[in-house]
Amino acid sequence: MSAIEANFDGLVGPTHNYAGLAPGNLASAKNQGSVASPRAGVLEGLAKAKRLADAGLAQGFLPPQDRPFIFGLRQLGFDGATDGAVWEAAYKADPVLALNMMSASSMWAANAATVSPSADTADGRLHFTPANLLTGLHRSIEGYQTYRALQRIFPAESHFAVHSELPHQASFADEGAANHVRLCAEHGGPGVELFVYGRDAFEDWEGRFPARQTKQACEAVARRHGLDPARTVHIRQSRAAIDAGAFHNDVVCVGNGPVLLFHELAFEDKNAALDAIRRAADGLFEPVFVEVSAAEVPIGDAITSYLFNSQLLTWPGQGRQVLLAPQETEETESTRAFCERMTAGNSPIGQVQYAGVRQSMRNGGGPACLRLRVVLTEAERAAVNTAVWLDDALYETLTAWATRHYREELGPDDLGDPALVGESQTALDELTQILKLGPDFYPFQRV
Ligand code: SUG
């Protein structure tokens, strides 16, 4: 069956800021307290998405979530005559708790869900499991709204199965597609799905940083999606990578088609992992491994440059694959040199392009974090909510919308401002009309 890979990017939300909330994420900690530009952030994301759409790739969007999350604050007992007053009361009583309800973290769509294309699933439907993201408080509030978004964008149950999140228990900690890679001969054919976990739920974890994904979560997602165990591989991420700041596998590994680009230290037992992938791919395709040695790119450089948090793409009109990397990869000597050497040789990756997504990068989100990949057959593509597909008209509309509603700057002194609540809700209310998500999409629209 022929199919395409579509990228659904998380739109950067109007409250994008640097509150340093993310455990094990060095960029988030480093930039805590600096001044963000929500407007620059959303425009950078739109420009990246447009580059793919202009090249002829299928590009859609996932909407931002409503922040501050007034519904959640009311659940926690904060009260007020208006939503702005609720925010003011919460921010005054417990600013750290309040800031956890303010993050624009749903922009990192690679953490929205794990996606299994219909070619891999027992019932022949495309399966989604929204991630419960329960390691960080600020992200643990995303899952239900992600579920609603996926339902509105992929509504036809004959084609799409949108599951609920895994149970909110630490044993099932799940961060979605950031810890999942699909390899295949071509997108529409059957694939091998790799799930990468940081810890077994039933062992003690003592690390410098938390391991955000459990083996049990990976196994549960694979079971729900009806994947063939013979074509599914569960791999342990290396402790060294987590300790160095690789809080998701996609900070040290990316794949596309049969190609897996990974850092030497990505997996706890590399040889066993590669053997398991070869066995799972047997009879379907020959995996192509592109390993980056620690001698050429030290793990620290891999993490600050985000070389692996790139989009690896089958680019229309290009014989070899294209890596869309963050600018920081070009600015880091070892990774720039690696990219030059790789593309000059006979690697399956023939070109590296650079994208500026600095606003997101300062919170630890590169090009690959900003997108959720969804392989769609022609019939499935036709069943997607058409309003979310990026074309020139939607690009113009969203650019004008963001420029109208988003603040140029958002710094620590601005975050308590109750006016932000109304500004954010007005912007998102308008967005639900643009993306045809329905008048009751956000909790603030349902009261
Ligand atoms: O979960 N940052 C995100 C970045 C997610 C990147 N995603 C992938 N690697 N796929 C995180 O650590 C920072 C938010 C803050 O501090 O306000 C944050 O949540």
Side-chain angles (χ1 to χ4, degrees):
M1 180 98 60
S2 82
I4 49 114
E5 178 186 88
N7 284 283
F8 289 83
D9 280 35
L11 268 173
V12 174
T15 65
H16 158 59
N17 71 92
Y18 298 116
L21 303 173
N25 174 338
L26 303 179
S28 158
K30 180 173 164 212
N31 294 304
Q32 177 172 18
S34 49
V35 177
S37 175
R39 192 187 297 170
V42 68
L43 295 178
E44 284 173 356
L46 283 168
K48 175 181 88 66
K50 186 163 192 300
R51 193 190 301 199
L52 268 65
D54 286 348
L57 293 159
Q59 177 68 55
F61 286 110
L62 298 180
Q65 301 204 351
D66 65 319
R67 299 291 182 267
F69 190 40
I70 299 297
F71 177 84
L73 289 171
R74 287 192 191 272
Q75 273 186 323
L76 297 174
F78 294 107
D79 208 356
T82 61
D83 285 354
V86 172
W87 175 245
E88 223 173 355
Y91 192 78
K92 199 168 148 209
D94 190 341
V96 178
L97 173 61
L99 287 177
N100 273 278
M101 303 287 151
M102 180 65 125
S103 172
S105 52
S106 65
M107 73 173 83
W108 299 297
N111 306 117
T114 305
V115 186
S116 295
S118 50
D120 298 348
T121 63
D123 68 0
R125 292 190 297 163
L126 173 53
H127 285 245
F128 299 86
T129 291
N132 58 28
L133 291 164
L134 48 77
T135 301
L137 172 59
H138 68 298
R139 305 211 64 181
S140 66
I141 54 176
E142 291 177 34
Y144 178 64
Q145 187 65 19
T146 299
Y147 166 78
R148 290 178 64 80
L150 293 173
Q151 279 195 322
R152 299 275 159 114
I153 296 172
F154 304 97
E157 283 180 21
S158 51
H159 290 297
F160 308 122
V162 179
H163 299 266
S164 54
E165 310 153 67
L166 292 176
H168 268 238
Q169 286 145 7
S171 300
F172 303 115
D174 175 24
E175 304 254 334
N179 294 319
H180 175 254
V181 182
R182 179 174 188 262
L183 299 179
C184 56
E186 51 202 41
H187 295 307
V192 167
E193 299 202 16
L194 318 182
F195 289 80
V196 183
Y197 61 92
R199 67 183 164 94
D200 186 309
F202 303 119
E203 73 187 4
D204 291 333
W205 175 261
E206 279 172 36
R208 183 174 170 219
F209 298 126
R212 299 197 198 177
Q213 182 87 30
T214 67
K215 183 171 184 239
Q216 285 68 19
C218 294
E219 290 171 347
V221 172
R223 274 191 298 270
R224 293 166 149 209
H225 290 194
L227 301 181
D228 178 352
R231 302 282 185 211
T232 306
V233 184
H234 294 281
I235 301 172
R236 184 189 274 266
Q237 188 180 11
S238 82
R239 196 173 265 272
I242 298 173
D243 283 353
F247 52 92
H248 292 133
N249 175 61
D250 70 3
V251 176
V252 283
C253 172
V254 59
N256 177 50
V259 179
L260 190 71
L261 173 70
F262 62 97
H263 191 271
E264 180 185 352
L265 299 179
F267 310 125
E268 190 65 40
D269 184 344
K270 182 186 71 187
N271 292 333
L274 302 188
D275 279 349
I277 296 169
R278 280 191 203 96
R279 273 197 307 279
D282 189 37
L284 290 181
F285 60 92
E286 190 72 40
V288 181
F289 297 124
V290 183
E291 179 177 346
V292 182
S293 72
E296 188 166 16
V297 175
I299 186 87
D301 280 6
I303 287 159
T304 48
S305 71
Y306 259 37
L307 164 67
F308 297 92
N309 201 257
S310 300
Q311 292 182 252
L312 186 54
L313 297 154
T314 306
W315 198 271
Q318 292 279 341
R320 294 192 286 165
Q321 296 189 9
V322 171
L323 192 73
L324 182 64
Q327 258 170 7
E328 287 74 0
T329 294
E330 191 177 22
E331 291 160 3
T332 304
E333 213 179 298
S334 64
T335 50
R336 188 187 56 242
F338 166 76
C339 290
E340 282 167 7
R341 186 183 67 70
M342 175 177 71
T343 52
N346 63 356
S347 156
I349 303 166
Q351 194 190 95
V352 179
Q353 296 186 20
Y354 296 101
V357 288
R358 284 202 203 283
Q359 288 294 319
S360 168
M361 280 289 288
R362 288 188 190 132
N363 255 335
C369 295
L370 288 163
R371 59 91 175 100
L372 184 66
R373 298 195 277 189
V374 184
V375 169
L376 296 162
T377 64
E378 237 165 80
E380 289 161 355
R381 188 177 184 176
V384 174
N385 169 351
T386 52
V388 303
W389 290 121
L390 181 62
D391 56 15
D392 288 347
L394 183 61
Y395 178 77
E396 294 306 325
T397 303
L398 290 176
T399 301
W401 164 81
T403 308
R404 213 166 40 245
H405 293 293
Y406 280 49
R407 289 195 186 187
E408 185 56 47
E409 286 196 344
L410 200 51
D413 297 341
D414 308 315
L415 292 168
D417 181 0
L420 266 173
V421 181
E423 286 173 28
S424 170
Q425 291 183 351
T426 304
L428 297 184
D429 193 43
E430 203 176 307
L431 185 69
T432 53
Q433 294 164 44
I434 298 171
L435 299 182
K436 296 198 170 37
L437 296 167
D440 61 347
F441 179 63
Y442 289 112
F444 71 81
Q445 295 172 314
R446 299 199 289 274
V447 284

